[in-house]
Amino acid sequence: MPVLFNIRHLEEKTLFLKGELPAVELDLDGVDELIHLPGPLTYDLEVQKIEKGILVQGRLRLTLECECARCLKPSQHPLSLQEWACHLPLEGEDRVVLRGDFVDLTPYIREDILLALPQHPLCEPECKGLAGQNRPGVMRKSESASAAWDELNKLKLK
């Protein structure tokens, strides 16, 4: 069920919207193979009419199940937009699309969630990945770098 509100109700008062949006409604499947949405997005929003537009402010929260981009270990990543805001113009080229008297906030929420997704989710910031494990015959980055500098230090320039 999308996040909808009736624009006519804004003539009388500020609206408060609180609830959950199923992850399916965000249509984020396939956006990133390392990120999955196991549960709904929770929202707590205030909607008010201002001059020739609508101002929506509030909080959006979602828990992501991610696979580490380095080691593929599963981890959870809380995504929280504490001061989310959206301005919807009622006039002009960019005016909000109305379905009867209703405005659907779901596309605007989806857009900002997409922008907030981690680019390379990690299980922990110091994750060394699969290559970081001590395996025989695998040279660490620091070892190869120091070997290169040793060879350069032997070079004598006149």
Side-chain angles (χ1 to χ4, degrees):
M1 171 149 234
V3 181
L4 299 171
F5 68 89
N6 190 322
I7 196 167
R8 292 189 187 261
H9 293 163
L10 289 177
E11 299 294 332
E12 303 165 10
K13 61 183 176 181
T14 298
L15 297 177
F16 295 94
L17 307 173
K18 190 172 186 171
E20 293 184 340
L21 178 65
V24 172
E25 293 288 335
L26 291 171
D27 191 28
L28 296 176
D29 285 339
V31 169
D32 189 327
E33 61 189 27
L34 298 177
I35 301 173
H36 311 285
L37 284 73
L41 171 127
T42 58
Y43 58 88
D44 187 2
L45 305 171
E46 178 182 342
V47 184
Q48 55 187 321
K49 187 171 182 185
I50 53 168
E51 295 186 23
K52 297 178 183 179
I54 299 168
L55 179 62
V56 184
Q57 301 177 89
R59 289 178 296 223
L60 304 173
R61 290 181 299 281
L62 180 65
T63 300
L64 307 172
E65 283 187 2
C66 302
E67 293 177 40
C68 180
R70 293 181 186 160
C71 71
L72 298 179
K73 186 167 57 170
S75 63
Q76 287 195 340
H77 180 81
L79 181 64
S80 181
L81 302 176
Q82 291 296 324
E83 296 179 13
W84 183 73
C86 182
H87 179 263
L88 307 170
L90 293 171
E91 297 177 2
E93 273 181 35
D94 298 330
R95 72 177 168 266
V96 67
V97 177
L98 296 175
R99 287 194 217 157
D101 291 335
F102 289 90
V103 174
D104 184 3
L105 292 174
T106 309
Y108 305 100
I109 293 172
R110 179 185 188 278
E111 183 177 330
D112 287 341
I113 292 295
L114 270 172
L115 293 172
L117 291 177
Q119 298 244 338
H120 302 286
L122 300 176
C123 58
E124 57 187 51
E126 297 81 29
C127 178
K128 297 187 192 297
L130 296 174
Q133 299 173 356
N134 292 333
R135 296 185 301 178
V138 175
M139 188 183 306
R140 292 185 186 152
K141 185 178 179 179
S142 60
E143 291 173 354
S144 64
S146 65
W149 278 112
D150 289 341
E151 291 303 314
L152 287 172
N153 286 334
K154 291 178 189 176
L155 185 64
K156 295 182 181 184
L157 300 171
K158 281 195 171 186

